């Protein structure tokens, strides 16, 4: 699945969630997805928290096949910035 397709899936989940922070999913050369409140974009921008992971792992995370806590503990996900934002987001997309 492409970054754009994953961004579309995320849009429906954050649109009515009341999420009011910003998070960037950085998949390296595959691109970025930036969630800023209810807005989802594939354009790079600063964020409260950056989550670095592979595109495959992001796809699995959004599908519910990858546990965010286990992925972090095993090094599949790296979090930079405000960890509480990542934890709040995991409730929306997990």
């Amino acid at each position: 699945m492409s970054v754009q397709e994953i961004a579309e899936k995320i849009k429906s989940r954050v649109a009515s969630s009341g999420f009011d922070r910003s998070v960037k999913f950085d998949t390296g050369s595959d691109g970025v997805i930036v969630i800023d409140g209810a807005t989802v974009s594939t354009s790079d921008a600063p964020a409260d928290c950056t989550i670095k992971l592979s595109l495959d792992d992001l796809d699995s995370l959004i599908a519910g096949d990858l546990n965010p806590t286990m992925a972090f503990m095993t090094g599949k996900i790296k979090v930079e910035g405000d960890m509480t934002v990542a934890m709040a987001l995991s409730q929306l997309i997990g």
Side-chain angles (χ1 to χ4, degrees):
M1 189 172 294
S2 73
V3 165
Q4 191 62 47
E5 290 169 314
I6 294 171
E8 290 301 320
K9 276 188 167 182
I10 292 172
K11 274 183 191 179
S12 63
R13 296 186 192 181
V14 299
S16 60
S17 68
F19 187 73
D20 63 353
R21 304 294 298 276
S22 60
V23 176
K24 177 178 6 182
F25 288 104
D26 183 348
T27 63
S29 61
D30 289 313
V32 298
I33 297 173
V34 177
I35 302 169
D36 190 355
T39 306
V40 179
S41 166
T42 54
S43 299
D44 200 357
D48 297 323
C49 177
T50 299
I51 301 171
K52 295 185 175 188
L53 71 172
S54 71
L55 186 59
D56 285 344
D57 287 340
L58 179 56
D59 190 17
S60 297
L61 186 71
I62 300 303
D65 298 331
L66 180 64
N67 178 297
T69 304
M70 287 304 297
F72 177 74
M73 300 294 268
T74 57
K76 287 187 172 191
I77 291 178
K78 292 185 177 30
V79 179
E80 297 174 357
D82 191 339
M83 180 70 87
T84 60
V85 176
M87 292 171 73
L89 184 67
S90 74
Q91 302 302 309
L92 292 177
I93 64 169

